[in-house]
Amino acid sequence: MEKNSVFDRYVSGFTFLLGLLVIIYSMVLPKPIFAGQMGPGIFPTGIGVLIVIVSAVLFRESGKEGRTGTIAQPTSDQQVTTEKLFNRHLLIVIVALIIYILLFQILGFVISSMAMILALGWLLGARKWIPLTLISVLFPTALFLLFGMLGVELPAGIIHF
Amino acid sequence: MDIWQHLLGGFGIALTPMNLFYAFIGVLIGTMVGVLPGIGPMSGVALLIPVTYNLNTASAIILMAGVYYGAMYGGSTTSILLNTPGESSSVVTALDGYEMAKRGRAGSALSIAAIGSFVAGTFSVLMLNLLGPSLAKVAIRFGPPEYFSLMLFGLTAVAGFAGKSRNKAFLSLFIGMLISMIGTDLVSGSERFTFGISNLSDGIDFIIVSIGVFALGEVFTTIVEMNKGKQTRFRIEGKIWPSREELRRSVGPIARGSVLGFFIGVLPGAGATIASFIAYDLEKRISKFRHLFGKGAIEGVAAPESANNGAAGGAMVPLLTLGVPGSGTTAILLGALMIHGITPGPLLFEKNPDVAWGLIASMYIGNLMLLVLNLPLVGLFAKIIDIPQVYLLPMIIIISTLGIYGVSGNIFGLWLLLFFGIIGYFMKRYDYPGAPMILGLVLAPLMEQSLRQALIMSNGAYTIFVVRPISLVLLLLAAAAIVVPLLLRKKNGKFDQVEKDMEL
Amino acid sequence: MKKKSGLIALIGLMLILLVTACGQQPTKQTQANEGADYPNKPVKIVAPSGTGGGWDTTARLMSKVMGETKLIKVGLPVENIEGGSGKVFLEGFLKNNVGDPYTIFVNSPPILINTAQGFKYSYKDVTPIAGIISEYDSFVVPANSKYKTLKEVMDALKQNPASVKIGGGSAPGGMDHLAFMAAAKKAGIEITKINYVPFQGGGQVMTALLGNNIDLASTGISEVQGQMQAGTVRMLAVTSAQRIEGLDVPTVKEAGYDATFDIWRGFFGAKDMPAYAKKYWEDNLAKMVKTPEWQQVVKNQKWTSSYRNSEEFTKFLGEQTQVISNLMKELGLTK
């Protein structure tokens, strides 16, 4: 719970700065060339101001919360989460996703997706090879054919149907 | 001949075996397209156009309209089961729908979504049939000032989407609005917040944000929880179908959602997303069960699902009666009519009665088909969440990436998807609601655009928003939406306390 | 422990696949036997936009007619690569597909407008194959408008450039905007002072016009015809050089302002596209535009056939670049 409000502090601090940057950036956007126009910077400036204000309020709120702990009660789910923000599983999934995206256009949709399902399924604890293999083969193939029927060309990569 | 005779003629066309077949294929493909996130009704219909090249015009348009409302229908399925909204209009459905699924009530949520969609769909065709032309004449008076005021009113719906902290909802809303500023500014034609990256010059598609924040965010959260040895496999509890109590509670939301959705949908450019947000917010404001919203309230599924399907029907009004598109999807349908050699316009009913009335008749039939098609599927779909997470999670990831890549063909969207997935994980974990972000993302561009269009129209005079009566009424509504609850809370502090207790 | 090593092995496997795939890529593209059997596999037609727009429609209809008329026997799948009105596609295309005979793409004035706005590539970086059709803009007022001719509008604008609200389906610098400004410039109006209300696409403009929220719409002829037949709007002028068949509407030139605006569409190939591939497409497109199937398409879409072979097309693009960049310079829209 302590952590919860600390996170809110970081977020509100960050969005406060973001809001300021947005305001500055919007101010230097070009003035309108044409008659009667509101320039492209006015609306985003307004959004920037709103972000700054709400961030400031949130920052104060999170400070209070951190001290007294009465405003926001963490849900039971959150009480369990006491470890690091990114645990190893999540990091590996993200890395796997990055590799998947890189592979996507080169190897084609079907093969990269097969690899993805196998790798991720294994990571998550699937140890029954038969269903895992079946799903990893059938699911991407079915999607590939389905999209093909709809006229969407997915990257075929190194295999050709 | 009066409209009933025309309609009868329309049924004569729509009920031929061939056209029944095409309506069925249309709603079937539509349901599929709706279930696949990323391919919304718009790209679904666009993709089908080449398939219809060789059909006769009435069959082609019946097929494509089937895809349209089939996709609107199917959009709720992944929202409810996988927290993966396929279109912006089913984002709201995910809030309570997914919560219901988690509590073993997926079947009930899916059935109510199907029933609500059917009622709203049928209601809107009936209205189109009875009031179409006169409504369209009113709707077309809606100009930029009115849209601005409507969007402002739409923004007040954010109140319905706040979790424990109102400020977090506001921050989420404003960040969504900020994201929508990225890209080419329509009014000046110049780029903003793109930093010279061509990939950003079209802006960031809301579908990337919503799939990232909702679907991937949920996947990441589940993975972290699984790592802690928590078993998050859901089980269907009790019977699949909605209980009598659930049905009874859904009647009001479905009725209000249908009406609201239809009338918002008639306004060219307002659309299903706004309708779904406003309908949800309305229900939350007036429901006896408001404390259950966000925790699996059936009203939170019934209202937005009826509203977005009502809006889909409403959007057909300006298309058929005036020949102007009421939404992105109807703009595509308009293009499809042209490919078939039909000039869309106010004379459509006179010059091509077979197409116009055949289409309307097929919409009655199609809606019925969707209900018949979808209710039996509920049992099957509801079993999807019975698939062990170890298989389901990778599949969700693949469907999500495919949904983003499939239609745009651009790998950049996948990087953004990953980025918003990580953002969504943190938002979920620290109780920042995602729906306001989508609301801001959808509304802000329309709002800014109509603000600036209105100011060009008025040579810079802000009075344009109050001298036009419809705009004024909408502004007052927006003010009331903000002020009235504040007053009520002051007066009725006791109720608020009760509410708070129930939340804990 | 065992679990982790299995995982690392799998990720390692994916990495190996990645590396080998990168290594394989070039071999796939080398062509034997200088195009004698071209095309021996499907040719990709890219619409550098989402589905449903003008580029997409043109590409899909071309692919359809080529198949139906059996002019081209291999498949012609259409692929949508969206982003930055074609900029995203071109960046990738010029990086990865130089000399590729198996991809062609459709484009229109935005390829010139992007360049005028400072985009680093132009039509000169790719191979213009042929121009096939043109659409023209029209200037339209509601049926009950006090303006009966384009001259009356221009005269009113000369008096007071803010007196007529002009709407168009594009941002300033887009086609509908440029089309009207080209005419207004010839009328001697201070074009930066005109109240131009931009909308997203022709449908929205027509809605605004019918709701009397704007006074005049500048939008594609195809958007207007249904309304004209119903008598809800009046078309004052079209931006073509000659009158459009079947439309009793003067050209801007006839109305007294020496301006035209041509929204052409054509196909392009890769930079250094092999000559045999270019010739193949040029010839087949020339044959296609003469088929009755294609002429029906043109008629339904309210397009105008305007075939230009590669040489004419390239010359035309050079002239259009001048026209567009001059106009945009005057409007202060160039970089």
Side-chain angles (χ1 to χ4, degrees):
Chain A
M1 181 176 73
E2 191 69 17
K3 208 162 189 166
N4 213 346
S5 58
V6 169
F7 182 80
D8 288 348
R9 294 214 119 195
Y10 281 128
V11 166
S12 51
F14 172 75
T15 52
F16 187 86
L17 286 178
L18 180 72
L20 286 181
L21 285 176
V22 168
I23 296 172
I24 296 167
Y25 178 88
S26 306
M27 304 261 240
V28 300
L29 280 173
K31 296 278 169 289
I33 310 162
F34 302 102
Q37 271 194 4
M38 185 185 198
I42 312 271
F43 202 81
T45 306
I47 296 173
V49 170
L50 290 170
I51 290 176
V52 165
I53 294 171
V54 80
S55 302
V57 176
L58 194 62
F59 191 80
R60 277 199 53 196
E61 191 182 87
S62 63
K64 265 189 221 155
E65 222 175 281
R67 281 196 303 278
T68 63
T70 49
I71 292 182
Q73 289 289 335
T75 63
S76 55
D77 293 339
Q78 282 165 339
Q79 275 166 338
V80 191
T81 57
T82 41
E83 24 175 317
K84 281 176 285 177
L85 280 181
F86 280 105
N87 65 27
R88 196 182 294 118
H89 261 74
L90 185 61
L91 275 179
I92 294 175
V93 170
I94 291 172
V95 170
L97 257 169
I98 291 173
I99 297 174
Y100 176 59
I101 296 174
L102 288 172
L103 283 170
F104 198 81
Q105 281 185 313
I106 303 160
L107 285 183
F109 168 73
V110 177
I111 292 188
S112 54
S113 300
M114 281 178 194
M116 177 75 183
I117 296 178
L118 282 175
L120 206 56
W122 175 270
L123 162 74
L124 295 174
R127 291 296 175 273
K128 290 179 194 149
W129 282 105
I130 293 166
L132 189 60
T133 316
L134 270 180
I135 290 176
S136 71
V137 172
L138 294 181
F139 187 66
T141 312
L143 283 174
F144 185 87
L145 296 177
L146 192 65
F147 273 66
M149 262 159 51
L150 289 170
V152 179
E153 294 293 316
L154 293 173
I158 49 177
I159 49 162
H160 293 279
F161 280 88
Chain B
M1 275 207 288
D2 69 346
I3 53 171
W4 299 112
Q5 259 171 302
H6 281 298
L7 186 62
L8 216 59
F11 273 107
I13 293 158
L15 284 172
T16 58
M18 222 39 211
N19 285 339
L20 275 177
F21 172 73
Y22 286 122
F24 179 74
I25 294 293
V27 298
L28 188 69
I29 294 176
T31 308
M32 265 161 41
V33 159
V35 168
L36 293 171
I39 313 190
M42 195 162 139
S43 22
V45 174
L47 287 169
L48 256 281
I49 291 179
V51 180
T52 69
Y53 283 152
N54 299 319
L55 302 182
N56 77 52
T57 313
S59 307
I61 201 80
I62 285 171
L63 176 72
M64 282 181 285
V67 175
Y68 179 21
Y69 46 79
M72 294 300 293
Y73 224 92
S76 58
T77 309
T78 46
S79 285
I80 291 169
L81 295 174
L82 310 173
N83 202 30
T84 306
E87 309 109 40
S88 58
S89 60
S90 44
V91 164
V92 180
T93 313
L95 300 178
D96 281 278
Y98 186 61
E99 286 300 318
M100 284 183 74
K102 276 206 223 167
R103 287 165 171 74
R105 300 299 302 148
S108 174
L110 287 170
S111 321
I112 289 294
I115 294 167
S117 301
F118 169 71
V119 172
T122 308
F123 170 77
S124 58
V125 195
L126 192 68
M127 295 296 280
L128 161 66
N129 200 345
L130 297 176
L131 302 177
S134 36
L135 266 179
K137 276 187 199 116
V138 180
I140 205 145
R141 305 286 292 278
F142 250 68
E146 286 77 20
Y147 280 111
F148 172 75
S149 305
L150 178 70
M151 298 307 146
L152 202 64
F153 176 60
L155 276 188
T156 63
V158 69
F161 299 90
K164 284 167 207 82
S165 163
R166 226 162 259 265
N167 291 317
K168 287 183 180 176
F170 283 131
L171 188 61
S172 176
L173 174 76
F174 298 147
I175 296 292
M177 291 172 80
L178 178 63
I179 294 169
S180 79
M181 293 293 113
I182 298 170
T184 306
D185 160 39
L186 174 74
V187 180
S188 69
S190 57
E191 290 185 3
R192 295 184 290 195
F193 301 98
T194 56
F195 310 103
I197 303 168
S198 294
N199 271 306
L200 286 176
S201 63
D202 280 351
I204 295 180
D205 198 338
F206 66 81
I207 200 73
I208 294 176
V209 182
S210 62
I211 293 188
V213 168
F214 281 83
L216 274 195
E218 179 67 26
V219 167
F220 290 162
T221 309
T222 314
I223 285 171
V224 169
E225 278 169 10
M226 281 174 80
N227 191 27
K228 291 201 248 26
K230 221 170 128 188
Q231 185 51 267
T232 42
R233 186 170 165 181
F234 316 134
R235 282 272 173 211
I236 297 169
E237 276 168 30
K239 56 186 179 69
I240 286 177
W241 307 108
S243 65
R244 193 173 294 241
E245 162 76 1
E246 283 169 324
L247 281 172
R248 200 179 49 72
R249 276 169 56 186
S250 304
V251 172
I254 287 177
R256 285 184 289 270
S258 304
V259 176
L260 196 76
F262 175 76
F263 284 102
I264 293 179
V266 169
L267 303 173
T273 308
I274 297 168
S276 66
F277 272 91
I278 294 180
Y280 183 92
D281 180 52
L282 175 75
E283 290 306 322
K284 195 174 174 184
R285 280 170 196 259
I286 64 174
S287 172
K288 271 189 293 187
F289 303 95
R290 79 180 77 173
H291 54 280
L292 293 177
F293 276 70
K295 301 187 185 66
I298 190 91
E299 293 88 348
V301 176
E305 265 312 299
S306 315
N308 67 32
N309 281 277
M316 299 296 274
V317 172
L319 174 71
L320 291 178
T321 58
L322 299 173
V324 294
S327 67
T329 314
T330 46
I332 305 270
L333 279 177
L334 195 138
L337 282 171
M338 288 185 56
I339 287 177
H340 284 276
I342 288 188
T343 310
L347 298 184
L348 183 69
F349 280 89
E350 277 170 50
K351 294 178 73 177
N352 305 91
D354 52 328
V355 174
W357 289 104
L359 172 63
I360 289 182
S362 86
M363 285 170 77
Y364 283 107
I365 299 166
N367 268 299
L368 194 62
M369 277 180 176
L370 274 172
L371 190 70
V372 174
L373 180 74
N374 274 278
L375 281 181
L377 283 179
V378 165
L380 185 70
F381 277 139
K383 287 209 176 63
I384 287 179
I385 54 170
D386 256 1
I387 299 175
Q389 299 275 8
V390 288
Y391 307 124
L392 193 56
L393 294 177
M395 285 159 85
I396 296 177
I397 290 180
I398 280 165
I399 292 185
S400 305
T401 47
L402 190 53
I404 302 299
Y405 181 86
V407 178
S408 75
N410 187 346
I411 212 91
F412 183 76
L414 296 185
W415 297 118
L416 283 176
L417 176 73
L418 182 58
F419 173 76
F420 282 107
I422 296 169
I423 301 266
Y425 165 70
F426 285 111
M427 287 176 66
K428 191 168 170 57
R429 194 160 153 169
Y430 293 102
D431 195 33
Y432 288 80
M437 189 183 263
I438 308 297
L439 183 69
L441 194 55
V442 173
L443 286 191
L446 294 167
M447 192 171 162
E448 187 201 14
Q449 184 186 318
S450 44
L451 170 67
R452 291 165 68 190
Q453 286 168 339
L455 288 176
I456 298 175
M457 285 169 59
S458 73
N459 272 319
Y462 283 84
T463 45
I464 190 169
F465 298 106
V466 288
V467 295
R468 297 179 46 136
I470 307 178
S471 164
L472 181 65
V473 168
L474 286 165
L475 285 179
L476 291 175
L477 272 176
I482 298 168
V483 176
V484 172
L486 287 178
L487 290 178
L488 281 180
R489 191 166 312 134
K490 249 188 197 148
K491 235 174 104 181
N492 206 347
K494 209 170 105 199
F495 183 77
D496 220 37
Q497 193 52 50
V498 174
E499 196 180 358
K500 209 175 253 171
D501 288 345
M502 294 183 96
E503 265 176 352
L504 305 175
Chain C
M1 214 49 222
K2 195 184 162 214
K3 188 166 133 189
K4 208 158 69 183
S5 61
L7 219 132
I8 292 165
L10 270 170
I11 292 184
L13 186 72
M14 285 173 87
L15 277 172
I16 292 166
L17 281 171
L18 177 69
V19 173
T20 49
C22 289
Q24 275 177 357
Q25 194 67 349
T27 52
K28 222 179 78 190
Q29 296 206 344
T30 45
Q31 288 297 317
N33 202 357
E34 272 304 277
D37 58 346
Y38 178 86
N40 59 10
K41 61 174 193 185
V43 181
K44 206 158 72 180
I45 318 291
V46 174
S49 61
T51 46
W55 286 344
D56 184 54
T57 309
T58 311
R60 287 183 195 269
L61 288 170
M62 184 276 269
S63 163
K64 172 207 170 208
V65 173
M66 286 291 193
E68 263 175 14
T69 55
K70 307 223 164 35
L71 278 170
I72 295 182
K73 304 250 174 14
V74 295
L76 301 175
V78 174
E79 188 173 331
N80 298 94
I81 300 177
E82 201 176 345
S85 46
K87 285 188 279 187
V88 169
F89 162 71
L90 264 189
E91 280 170 356
F93 194 57
L94 283 161
K95 202 160 74 194
N96 304 325
N97 297 57
V98 174
D100 177 8
Y102 282 99
T103 310
I104 68 169
F105 69 97
V106 61
N107 222 293
S108 65
I111 197 173
L112 310 179
I113 293 172
N114 286 344
T115 312
Q117 282 178 329
F119 182 55
K120 58 180 182 280
Y121 299 119
S122 76
Y123 75 93
K124 288 182 183 145
D125 294 305
V126 289
T127 309
I129 296 171
I132 60 166
I133 55 115
S134 290
E135 275 192 275
Y136 297 97
D137 260 3
S138 59
F139 306 141
V140 192
V141 294
N144 58 3
S145 166
K146 62 179 175 186
Y147 302 113
K148 302 276 188 268
T149 63
L150 185 61
K151 188 167 182 307
E152 289 172 24
V153 175
M154 292 300 184
D155 288 345
L157 284 172
K158 251 184 250 173
Q159 290 281 316
N160 173 6
S163 61
V164 188
K165 281 172 280 188
I166 313 293
S170 70
M175 293 180 280
D176 288 352
H177 179 243
L178 293 180
F180 187 80
M181 295 305 160
K185 186 178 141 189
K186 294 285 177 183
I189 297 162
E190 273 188 87
I191 51 180
T192 54
K193 295 229 166 99
I194 292 176
N195 268 4
Y196 175 78
V197 190
F199 290 88
Q200 234 147 21
Q204 286 192 9
V205 186
M206 284 315 289
T207 311
L209 187 76
L210 294 172
N212 282 316
N213 287 302
I214 52 173
D215 301 319
L216 179 144
S218 167
T219 186
I221 288 172
S222 59
E223 308 277 352
V224 187
Q225 296 215 325
Q227 302 297 336
M228 269 182 82
Q229 287 169 2
T232 54
V233 299
R234 180 162 55 239
M235 199 186 277
L236 300 182
V238 292
T239 63
S240 51
Q242 274 97 39
R243 283 197 177 213
I244 306 280
E245 213 184 300
L247 260 188
D248 185 23
V249 177
T251 63
V252 173
K253 248 185 184 151
E254 287 175 70
Y257 312 99
D258 187 19
T260 57
F261 199 83
D262 184 339
I263 302 171
W264 51 268
R265 282 196 206 119
F267 288 94
F268 297 78
K271 185 186 177 73
D272 303 331
M273 186 187 208
Y276 61 85
K278 180 176 134 186
K279 183 164 178 346
Y280 177 87
W281 275 103
E282 202 182 351
D283 292 349
N284 276 300
L285 286 169
K287 279 182 210 156
M288 181 195 77
V289 295
K290 293 201 189 79
T291 61
E293 288 87 347
W294 181 254
Q295 278 158 13
Q296 186 60 42
V297 163
V298 169
K299 188 167 163 264
N300 286 351
Q301 297 291 324
K302 320 272 190 277
W303 291 339
T304 305
S305 213
S306 62
Y307 180 80
R308 291 181 174 93
N309 68 26
S310 181
E311 201 189 322
E312 295 158 350
F313 189 39
T314 312
K315 185 165 160 270
F316 172 73
L317 290 170
E319 297 160 7
Q320 287 290 309
T321 304
Q322 273 308 310
V323 173
I324 285 177
S325 62
N326 283 344
L327 199 56
M328 296 197 44
K329 220 172 274 164
E330 179 148 348
L331 288 162
L333 289 167
T334 47
K335 277 214 179 102

